[in-house]
Amino acid sequence: MRGGRRMKGGRGARGVGRGAGSGVAAGAGGGARAGVGVRVVRRVSASRGFARVAPYVIPALDRGVHRLTRGRRLLSTAMLPGLVLTSTGARSGLPRRTPLACMPEDGAGGGAGAARSWILVGSNFGRPGHPAWTHNLLAQPRVTISWRGTDVTVTAVLLDGEERAAVWAAALAFWPPYAAYQRRISREIRLFRLTEWPSGR
């Protein structure tokens, strides 16, 4: 899979260290510090039964909560940070809104001069095919996300090589069920970095 290449409209991938270790904002918690409830949810999330129903149930619930809270909340953010991606359908050309878990990197919380970026993991709950939103990002990487009630224009870059390896390690520490998803499928899970588009451009 070719990734770290620039996609049209992209700004290029960042250094290997970005997204690994301290580059990831606090979110899902990890390792031995995870409480009993979190461990149970992780175990359920990694199951095949969950993978069969989650793609139909969770996005619908997230859209409802997102609409009711005027973009401030997603139901799934009780366990993982989340955003709503608005992309352009690769085939239809129509707007597509997709609630997704995300891994915020340094600066995603805001602050003066912060360069905000987010990692998206195309796990599709461990299902065989790449999720449709990943095809949309490859076709048109300049998109909009709703992050904590604010619309943000971002550019997506597909990661590969050492950079992908570093971010994948961080993603596994962030949410261990991703490892179970990857073991079940032959495709390599796509990882994207979304970087905020500079204002005024």
Side-chain angles (χ1 to χ4, degrees), residues 28-43 79 175:
R33 294 192 304 274
V36 174
V38 173
R39 292 198 297 269
V40 170
V41 171
R42 286 177 177 174
R43 191 175 305 116
M79 290 308 305
W175 190 244

Side-chain angles (χ1 to χ4, degrees), residues 66 69-74 82-86 97 108-110 116 118 143-154 196:
H66 189 260
T69 62
R70 298 183 180 181
R72 292 188 298 272
R73 295 282 186 274
L74 294 171
L83 52 79
V84 175
L85 170 71
T86 300
R97 289 172 58 82
R116 299 191 293 178
W118 300 259
V143 295
T144 302
I145 61 172
S146 175
W147 170 248
R148 297 177 177 174
T150 301
D151 289 339
V152 183
T153 300
V154 297
E196 185 172 16

Side-chain angles (χ1 to χ4, degrees), residues 64-154:
V65 172
H66 189 260
R67 185 169 56 251
L68 290 173
T69 62
R70 298 183 180 181
R72 292 188 298 272
R73 295 282 186 274
L74 294 171
L75 182 65
S76 58
T77 55
M79 290 308 305
L80 282 172
L83 52 79
V84 175
L85 170 71
T86 300
S87 59
T88 301
R91 294 183 178 179
S92 68
L94 299 175
R96 300 299 186 192
R97 289 172 58 82
T98 312
L100 296 168
C102 67
M103 189 170 72
E105 296 190 294
D106 284 339
R116 299 191 293 178
S117 60
W118 300 259
I119 296 297
L120 296 184
V121 181
S123 67
N124 206 12
F125 301 99
R127 294 157 68 88
H130 292 292
W133 61 264
T134 68
H135 300 294
N136 297 345
L137 291 186
L138 290 172
Q140 177 50 262
R142 188 173 178 183
V143 295
T144 302
I145 61 172
S146 175
W147 170 248
R148 297 177 177 174
T150 301
D151 289 339
V152 183
T153 300
V154 297

